[in-house]
Amino acid sequence: MTTGLIPGGQTPEPRPSGTLPPQQRRDQADQGSPHVDNRPRSSVITARAAASFEPVGRSVATARAFVRDTLQGWGFADIVDDAVVLTSELVTNAVVHAGTHADVLCLRSDDGVRIEVADRYPEREIPLQGSLATMGSPDREGGRGLQLCAAIAARWGVDYTPTHKQVWFQLDLPDRPVGTRAAGPSLPADLLPLADSRVRVAVVQIDRTAAVSAWNEDAEELFGYPADQVTGKPLTDLAAWPHTPGTGTGIAEALQLSRWEGSYGIRGADGRVTPVYASHLRVRDTDGEPSTVCLLVRDHERAVLQTPLRVPASDSGPADGQSTDPFEVFIGSPAPDDLDGLLQRTVERARDMLDGDSAFLLLATDDETELEVRASTGLPSARQRFARVPVEAGPGRYGSARMPAVHEDLLAVPGAVPLLSGTGMRSVVTVPLKVEGRLTGSLGVAAEAPGRYSNEEALRLQFAADRIALAVESARLGELERLRRGSLSFLVEASDLLAGTLDRDQTLALMAQMTVPTLATWCAVYTIADQASDPYLSYVLHEDEELIDGIKSLLSKIAPPDPVPTPGARVWAAPAEAAHRAALRSSMRSLGLTGGPIHQVASGIGPTLATASAVGGETVVLPLVARNRVIGMLTLGKPTDEHFRQEILELAEDLSRRAALALDNARLYSERTAISQALQRSLLPPETPKIDGVEVEVIYRAAGEGNEVGGDFYDVFPIRDGVYGFAIGDVCGTGPNAAAVTGLARHALRLLAREGLSGPAVLERLNSAILDEGARSRFLTLLYGEMRPQEDGSAELKVVCAGHPLPLRLRQDGTVEPAAEPQPLLGVMEDLELYEQTVTLDPGDVLLCVTDGVTERREGTRMLGDDGLADVLTTCTGLTAGAVAARIMRAVERFASDAPSDDMAILAMRVA
């Protein structure tokens, strides 16, 4: 920035109107705008100050400071604020939108100040309109400064030269008597405020213990107490403080504020309450002892003490006759549902209005116990956004959130405004946003220099806050309603997805995918197998897939969060701390440094700087509690210096409850499935034995999803040397109940056959065992046989067919014939007379045994049947036992398109 100050001087030569582009001159002449005046001024220039600013963002704040310092040095404090606001907008247009240097010239004359802002982009013409109402939307990126000029300045205009474009405005000095700080207009006597013939101002001094230490004569006259009667008593015993819901601050707190102004009552000696208007000022004596001086008048005489409100005035309204609120023009006109736009525009305009270095706006949570940062400017907004602080109690609270407050030096009161800790801000003014007496937010403006703000700035900022409080609350409620509708839709969809699977791994993946990126930037799910187990990192997801491995590596090197069953989200600082240490180590390595703090970084953590940045923000942990037991933790994280919104945390808590139940259901289902599969496998026979000279092939299909064993069963086992038993059966029904009988039958067959019993004896004793089951018994069809391979290459079979589909014999010439005769089934009658039949299989012959699930395969009214099975077997001449079984199964599957509804078993034996 380059500046020059020239005291005194002559009237600057007006720029010739011919320098304007022809079209611009024609537009200006046609419109005859009352807001634009390019006529040469005849006032004498008494001082001049100039400065040039680079096209960078910080130049706007520097330009504001330059104009403020210049005008205050000239003694023009009354117009400083308006000049700073206009300069800020025009310099922003130059350095941000035009992208050139901005030249600012301040000219002092005997009747006001003229400020010229020039950029070096002359071909960027600014269309001048005849009416403020038709100039365009205040929300557009460029041209908003002209609307401010039209609303605030006495005169303004635009000049063009071949190399510069200049926007200038003039502010006239207010017509006030010399030497006064503030003055009102002359009024007729009947319009003056009412007061008694003798106005009494009670002066009461309160010591550090809130006790009365001084009580003047007017106080005695007003309230009826002599000084010696009230001295030493707490003022709270006399004050009738209005306990209005939502005020939150009592008389004791008000006395501790550096400055306060408002109404309450004093109980007089006669027992009546006298309404008073009070002005409190906290002071200290030469020994440093603090006290509060209270000036009190009757409430109807409040004009004696009340600070006049700064009411914005407009010299001229728009052409259409409608009134325009200058503050509405000041903050723009965002859409009613654009809460973020409204808040951001508000903090920017508040900062400019008070010439601050930063500004912030906080909104109260639904229960009004916390304030949440929603917009800021001049502060590290990424770090502060959605940060929360308590209102009434606890460390780092906003003790004056419900009342205007001015902090002249934050170093004197550390932590008074925790949002500004570590930002370099020294002085701050904060005011509440209230709707119908209820706290809805807080607006603050801060500066790097101490002592920048006084009660006057607090009143001006409070006026602005009062004008926008209702709009902000309306937009906030609209946003909250949209969030709630979206949350409900989100939870419904999440519940449907979680209920649609019982697979544990898929449930973990769904939990993470539903939270990223809707609720968080990254997510990690820890699971706990049982109460004696430590949390295990089961799933990690980030919206950038390239960072998943790095986050997983970082989390695996730090201790998992404690499995606390307390509901709600709690902050977990370990990932951010580990990420910061890892980033430090990576940075030092890149710089070639091997000493210093690097030795304090735990070894083994190797994420990149990008990984450290991704995990370096706020991390919260939500317990996954199901059936009164913590089964895991859901961890949500944000990138560096970001916070979670309260609404997001509440939504995440709802999701965690649903996810915990779904995860526990998946766990229980997995356990039950594992148990069921283990029991079912125990019912299946071990591997088929190798039989010299005989090929054996088995195909088994249990009906029902997840079933490995059903009502059909098979077995091939050695009985003694050279003798092998084989069986294939079908229990009535399917599923676990039928499978229980199959286990009984298979094991009983092995035991009885190895006792040396004949085939009929084996089946008769099995029939008795089934009947002994009582109500659990089921009838059973069974084909049982014994095989003896012969030395000539043939095989001798002794077969008993108890109610089962007959076995089929395939000869080498392609003929198919039954290999046994039907006999009664088992589990129905106690006395059975069974017999066995002997069958000899020649080399190349095939014996096919199936259950009724094969022969009773249906497609509509058609059924495969015994004949259809025989036809298929006829085509299997010359095939191995495995090929025969496979061809039979393909034929069964192709016969009908529907999934099989009955168990199926195929046993093929071929003599080689």
Side-chain angles (χ1 to χ4, degrees):
M1 179 185 77
T2 59
T3 63
L5 182 62
I6 305 98
Q10 301 299 322
T11 305
E13 291 296 329
R15 292 178 173 83
S17 59
T19 60
L20 285 172
Q23 182 62 39
Q24 185 71 15
R25 294 199 305 271
R26 183 163 54 253
D27 291 346
Q28 186 174 333
D30 292 343
Q31 294 162 4
S33 172
H35 298 283
V36 182
D37 185 1
N38 281 331
R39 294 174 298 170
R41 312 308 314 158
S42 59
S43 302
V44 176
I45 302 300
T46 58
R48 180 195 309 257
S52 180
F53 302 93
E54 298 178 356
V56 293
R58 64 176 181 272
S59 294
V60 179
T62 308
R64 290 199 305 267
F66 164 70
V67 171
R68 176 173 290 277
D69 293 341
T70 299
L71 299 189
Q72 287 180 340
W74 289 346
F76 292 163
D78 292 313
I79 60 174
V80 164
D81 294 329
D82 291 340
V84 166
V85 169
L86 296 180
T87 302
S88 178
E89 284 292 336
L90 298 181
V91 172
T92 298
N93 289 340
V95 302
V96 175
H97 301 300
T100 72
H101 282 72
D103 301 324
V104 179
L105 175 63
C106 301
L107 303 175
R108 183 182 71 184
S109 62
D110 53 359
D111 58 351
V113 171
R114 172 182 168 121
I115 297 179
E116 302 176 354
V117 178
D119 64 45
R120 302 172 187 180
Y121 193 0
E123 62 271 19
R124 184 186 176 96
E125 297 186 4
I126 300 180
L128 300 181
Q129 305 292 337
S131 171
L132 176 62
T134 60
M135 192 173 290
S137 170
D139 298 327
R140 65 183 185 177
E141 285 296 319
R144 196 160 49 209
L146 301 183
Q147 298 185 50
L148 294 178
C149 290
I152 298 176
R155 289 179 293 276
W156 68 282
V158 183
D159 296 337
Y160 287 91
T161 70
T163 58
H164 291 73
K165 177 182 87 261
Q166 173 185 274
V167 181
W168 61 268
F169 62 88
Q170 181 161 333
L171 298 173
D172 295 338
L173 293 177
D175 186 13
R176 294 177 179 172
V178 177
T180 60
R181 177 179 178 273
S186 300
L187 295 175
D190 56 347
L191 296 181
L192 296 177
L194 293 174
D196 293 345
S197 58
R198 167 76 164 84
V199 177
R200 298 184 182 275
V201 180
V203 180
V204 182
Q205 192 161 2
I206 311 299
D207 61 19
R208 66 162 59 234
T209 64
V212 176
S213 60
W215 186 269
N216 73 341
E217 294 180 358
D218 281 353
E220 295 181 3
E221 186 68 25
L222 284 174
F223 310 124
Y225 296 105
D228 57 354
Q229 186 176 348
V230 296
T231 302
K233 290 186 177 181
L235 183 63
T236 54
D237 292 348
L238 306 177
W241 190 261
H243 295 284
T244 305
T247 57
T249 303
I251 181 65
E253 288 80 3
L255 293 173
Q256 296 299 319
L257 299 177
S258 60
R259 189 180 294 273
W260 185 87
E261 188 174 323
S263 300
Y264 53 92
I266 297 292
R267 296 183 184 88
D270 57 0
R272 296 181 179 179
V273 175
T274 302
V276 298
Y277 190 85
S279 176
H280 298 176
L281 177 65
R282 195 156 173 79
V283 299
R284 60 187 174 92
D285 59 19
T286 55
D287 295 330
E289 184 71 14
S291 63
T292 302
V293 177
C294 305
L295 305 181
L296 311 174
V297 297
R298 294 184 178 92
D299 192 64
H300 66 272
E301 297 173 337
R302 64 170 55 201
V304 176
L305 297 180
Q306 188 173 24
T307 302
L309 295 176
R310 177 185 173 92
V311 179
S314 177
D315 293 337
S316 59
D320 59 4
Q322 297 180 355
S323 61
T324 302
D325 182 358
F327 191 75
E328 182 179 349
V329 175
F330 180 66
I331 66 170
S333 300
D337 59 349
D338 183 14
L339 178 61
D340 289 336
L342 173 61
L343 300 183
Q344 191 61 36
R345 191 169 287 113
T346 297
V347 296
E348 291 173 358
R349 299 302 179 264
R351 176 202 61 191
D352 295 346
M353 183 174 68
L354 298 187
D355 189 25
D357 297 308
S358 64
F360 54 89
L361 193 148
L362 303 90
L363 292 184
T365 55
D366 287 343
D367 57 5
E368 299 179 14
T369 60
E370 288 184 314
L371 293 173
E372 186 177 62
V373 180
R374 292 299 303 271
S376 64
T377 181
L379 296 174
S381 57
R383 174 172 63 89
Q384 305 294 350
R385 186 167 170 80
F386 300 125
R388 294 175 299 278
V389 292
V391 176
E392 297 293 353
R397 69 185 180 94
Y398 280 100
S400 57
R402 300 186 185 278
M403 303 179 65
V406 177
H407 297 277
E408 296 183 353
D409 193 350
L410 291 177
L411 294 182
V413 190
V417 183
L419 181 66
L420 302 179
S421 299
T423 61
M425 300 297 157
R426 296 284 298 275
S427 56
V428 60
V429 52
T430 62
V431 297
L433 275 68
K434 290 187 176 182
V435 175
E436 298 179 351
R438 183 171 53 87
L439 179 69
T440 60
S442 179
L443 176 63
V445 177
E448 296 178 354
R452 283 282 297 274
Y453 302 114
S454 64
N455 195 45
E456 182 179 357
E457 283 79 12
L459 291 174
R460 294 180 57 214
L461 190 62
Q462 184 66 71
F463 172 80
D466 292 342
R467 300 304 296 270
I468 65 166
L470 186 59
V472 169
E473 179 67 1
S474 176
R476 187 187 74 87
L477 293 177
E479 179 192 66
L480 186 60
E481 180 62 23
R482 290 191 299 274
L483 283 175
R484 286 175 176 169
R485 288 199 301 267
S487 299
L488 182 60
S489 175
F490 173 80
L491 290 175
V492 169
E493 182 178 358
S495 299
D496 289 342
L497 291 174
L498 291 171
T501 179
L502 287 173
D503 182 81
R504 176 182 177 277
D505 293 337
Q506 188 173 0
T507 302
L508 291 173
L510 283 174
M511 290 170 56
Q513 292 167 6
M514 284 185 293
T515 57
V516 176
T518 305
L519 306 182
T521 305
W522 64 272
C523 168
V525 183
Y526 290 85
T527 57
I528 303 174
D530 52 60
Q531 295 181 354
S533 302
D534 293 329
Y536 174 74
L537 182 61
S538 299
Y539 202 90
V540 176
L541 183 65
H542 191 281
E543 61 183 6
D544 184 354
E545 295 182 356
E546 296 180 355
L547 299 178
I548 294 177
D549 291 338
I551 296 176
K552 188 181 300 183
S553 174
L554 187 144
L555 294 178
S556 64
K557 302 298 182 181
I558 61 178
D562 296 331
V564 178
T566 306
R570 70 182 192 276
V571 177
W572 185 31
E577 294 173 355
H580 293 159
R581 292 195 301 267
L584 173 62
R585 186 181 61 182
S586 299
S587 300
M588 297 187 70
R589 282 181 176 174
S590 65
L591 296 175
L593 303 177
T594 58
I598 190 171
H599 296 303
Q600 302 175 5
V601 181
S603 60
I605 302 178
T608 62
L609 289 176
T611 302
S613 175
V615 188
E618 186 177 50
T619 303
V620 297
V621 178
L622 297 103
L624 298 175
V625 181
R627 298 174 177 89
N628 298 322
R629 187 175 73 87
V630 180
I631 64 171
M633 284 88 69
L634 178 63
T635 303
L636 306 180
K638 286 282 190 179
T640 300
D641 295 337
E642 286 197 19
H643 294 268
F644 284 96
R645 295 188 60 177
Q646 185 64 32
E647 293 85 358
I648 295 298
L649 294 180
E650 293 173 357
L651 180 58
E653 185 177 354
D654 285 340
L655 176 63
S656 68
R657 288 194 292 267
R658 290 165 170 79
L661 186 59
L663 183 61
D664 198 47
N665 288 337
R667 177 187 63 83
L668 293 175
Y669 177 78
S670 299
E671 292 178 357
R672 301 297 187 273
T673 301
I675 294 173
S676 174
Q677 290 175 346
L679 293 175
Q680 290 184 66
R681 292 191 187 102
S682 69
L683 300 177
L684 293 173
E687 294 182 358
T688 303
K690 300 292 185 181
I691 303 176
D692 294 338
V694 179
E695 300 173 358
V696 179
E697 183 66 26
V698 177
I699 295 179
Y700 183 80
R701 297 285 189 273
E705 184 179 357
N707 290 332
E708 296 189 26
V709 178
D712 291 3
F713 70 96
Y714 69 93
D715 199 1
V716 179
F717 57 93
I719 298 177
R720 53 187 176 273
D721 291 342
V723 180
Y724 298 89
F726 65 91
I728 184 169
D730 185 2
V731 178
C732 175
T734 60
N737 293 329
V741 178
T742 66
L744 170 65
R746 192 178 67 81
H747 289 97
L749 283 175
R750 287 195 172 214
L751 291 174
L752 295 172
R754 287 171 178 172
E755 290 294 326
L757 300 176
S758 64
V762 169
L763 268 59
E764 288 171 1
R765 296 196 179 187
L766 176 60
N767 180 66
S768 298
I770 294 175
L771 292 175
D772 289 342
E773 291 293 310
R776 296 182 300 177
S777 65
R778 290 169 177 263
F779 64 81
L780 168 67
T781 67
L782 179 63
L783 171 66
Y784 173 75
E786 295 180 359
M787 176 185 296
R788 293 180 177 85
Q790 305 297 312
E791 294 181 358
D792 60 358
S794 63
E796 182 182 89
L797 281 68
K798 293 183 178 181
V799 182
V800 179
C801 186
H804 199 76
L806 300 178
L808 298 179
R809 176 181 181 180
L810 172 65
R811 297 183 181 273
Q812 295 188 47
D813 58 2
T815 60
V816 175
E817 59 185 8
E821 296 177 356
Q823 299 184 60
L825 51 77
L826 307 181
V828 178
M829 299 178 294
E830 293 184 0
D831 297 328
L832 290 179
E833 294 183 0
L834 302 176
Y835 60 90
E836 62 183 10
Q837 298 174 271
T838 302
V839 180
T840 300
L841 296 181
D842 296 328
D845 288 354
V846 175
L847 184 69
L848 177 66
C849 309
V850 301
T851 59
D852 60 4
V854 174
T855 57
E856 294 179 1
R857 178 72 164 157
R858 294 179 179 275
E859 174 69 22
T861 59
R862 298 187 307 118
M863 185 174 70
L864 179 62
D866 296 334
D867 295 338
L869 179 63
D871 292 341
V872 176
L873 184 60
T874 303
T875 64
C876 297
T877 305
L879 300 180
T880 63
V884 171
R887 178 169 293 186
I888 297 299
M889 179 56 70
R890 285 197 302 271
V892 173
E893 291 174 344
R894 293 173 179 174
F895 187 80
S897 58
D898 297 337
S901 59
D902 195 5
D903 304 326
M904 291 187 293
I906 300 173
L907 173 61
M909 295 182 291
R910 177 179 180 273
V911 179

